[in-house]
Amino acid sequence: MEKKITGVVKGIQPYGVFLLLPNKRQGLIHISECQSGYVGNINQLFTVGQTVQAMIIDIDEYSGQISLSLRAMEERPTPRKYGSKHTWTQRKTRLGFAPLASEMNGFVCEALKKIQKCLTVLRSTDNIVQVVKYDGQKFR
């Protein structure tokens, strides 16, 4: 459709603005078609009696309702160009299975220290667990 038409604001509702068109018909500019982006308060954009030029985007054949748009008449904003996509890798540190394997002894030592602390707590309660022997490397 996309025909420009001038009308007078006859009513403002939270969902849009009603325009009286030259042929004595009424059209609606839905709030999503008022402007690009977020519309916080539609009453700040329009007043009753204001003359507005809009574009017809649809006419319902069954009901005869006319859908209008101001947003269709705006220049489309140019999309912002973002920098190159950054991948969160650390190629310099060479993370992978080989470095993890070289650090495994440290991980195991830390885990064994935590287990040793747990064993001293368990030994003090005696009626929960009985550990026969722990020599720092194996449970027996």
Side-chain angles (χ1 to χ4, degrees), residues 10-106:
K10 286 297 174 188
I12 302 172
Q13 296 295 323
Y15 53 85
V17 177
F18 289 97
L19 294 183
L20 181 62
L21 303 175
N23 56 2
K24 303 291 184 204
R25 297 195 59 190
Q26 207 171 31
L28 172 69
I29 303 174
H30 190 267
I31 191 167
S32 65
E33 294 293 331
C34 287
Q35 71 180 17
S36 295
Y38 178 73
V39 177
N41 185 357
I42 198 166
N43 292 313
Q44 291 177 347
L45 297 174
F46 303 98
T47 57
V48 175
Q50 175 184 356
T51 303
V52 177
Q53 186 175 15
M55 185 176 288
I56 299 174
I57 56 174
D58 187 36
I59 298 176
D60 189 311
E61 292 179 16
Y62 181 73
S63 65
Q65 293 178 340
I66 301 171
S67 299
L68 304 168
S69 174
L70 295 177
R71 191 175 71 168
M73 294 175 29
E74 294 177 356
E75 289 183 24
R76 292 191 175 184
T78 57
R80 294 192 303 180
K81 294 183 180 179
Y82 295 100
S84 63
K85 185 176 179 181
H86 178 75
T87 55
W88 295 99
T89 60
Q90 297 178 352
R91 293 185 181 126
K92 293 178 183 174
T93 57
R94 301 283 185 202
L95 291 177
F97 292 113
L100 286 176
S102 67
E103 296 294 323
M104 189 60 75
N105 290 337

Side-chain angles (χ1 to χ4, degrees), residues 88-140:
W88 295 99
T89 60
Q90 297 178 352
R91 293 185 181 126
K92 293 178 183 174
T93 57
R94 301 283 185 202
L95 291 177
F97 292 113
L100 286 176
S102 67
E103 296 294 323
M104 189 60 75
N105 290 337
F107 298 149
V108 171
C109 289
E110 284 183 39
L112 290 176
K113 287 178 186 176
K114 289 180 183 178
I115 291 171
Q116 186 65 35
K117 287 180 186 178
C118 291
L119 287 176
T120 57
V121 170
L122 290 175
R123 284 187 188 136
S124 65
T125 58
D126 281 343
N127 47 350
I128 295 175
V129 174
Q130 183 178 1
V131 176
V132 178
K133 187 175 179 183
Y134 176 71
D135 62 3
Q137 294 180 1
K138 294 183 180 180
F139 291 97
R140 298 177 189 206

